[in-house]
Amino acid sequence: MFPTREDGVTRRVVLATYLALTVVFTLAFVFERGVFAETGWFVNAQNMAGWTWLFWPDPSRPLAQTPITLGYFLTGGSYLGIFLLYALSILLTGLLTQKILLFLAPDKPVLAFLAGAFTLIHGADQAVNQFGMIVVRQGVVGILGASLAVLWFLKKGNRVPLVCIVLRE
């Protein structure tokens, strides 16, 4: 059922399964109610001058609210943009995890598929649409994306990402 190398059918089956899990996850735990917590931030952001509405006032995490605020404004003040952004983050955690495991263990596609599915549904509970959870999920997507990029560069024989990581530390 799962060949060692991905073919078009396998990719479509994985994507369809992950999309179905994302839809079920989102409908069950996200769309049933409005967003909790700091809704006042982006609701009041429309009264802020210049570009300050894009940045969270905490200097340690100024971009934490940016995607959420953009999602709110790009859908005309609806929570739909925030929910769609979060659903995309949910889907990407599964897809990126699966790709990372295929890089590390190309002969274990079923394991990669299951790891992606479990990563996608991790955190499926009533707290998923609190901003703390949304920001964490977006952070996980960033980390998984960066990890996949490092693996890709290393596979190509490029050591630049490792130098950047060492210099950062």
Side-chain angles (χ1 to χ4, degrees), residues 111-123:
L111 176 66
F113 171 77
L114 291 174
F118 284 124
T119 304
L120 188 149
I121 62 170
H122 175 71

Side-chain angles (χ1 to χ4, degrees), residues 72-84:
Y72 178 76
F73 282 114
L74 291 176
T75 55
S78 168
Y79 288 151
L80 179 63
I82 299 166
F83 292 150
L84 292 176

Side-chain angles (χ1 to χ4, degrees), residues 35-89:
V35 181
F36 292 145
E38 298 125 339
T39 54
W41 168 255
F42 52 82
V43 170
N44 293 326
Q46 56 198 343
N47 300 324
M48 296 179 177
W51 291 95
T52 57
W53 60 274
L54 272 177
F55 304 104
W56 188 248
D58 182 348
S60 69
R61 53 188 184 123
L63 298 176
Q65 287 288 115
T66 302
I68 297 164
T69 306
L70 281 173
Y72 178 76
F73 282 114
L74 291 176
T75 55
S78 168
Y79 288 151
L80 179 63
I82 299 166
F83 292 150
L84 292 176
L85 177 71
Y86 191 51
L88 178 64
S89 296

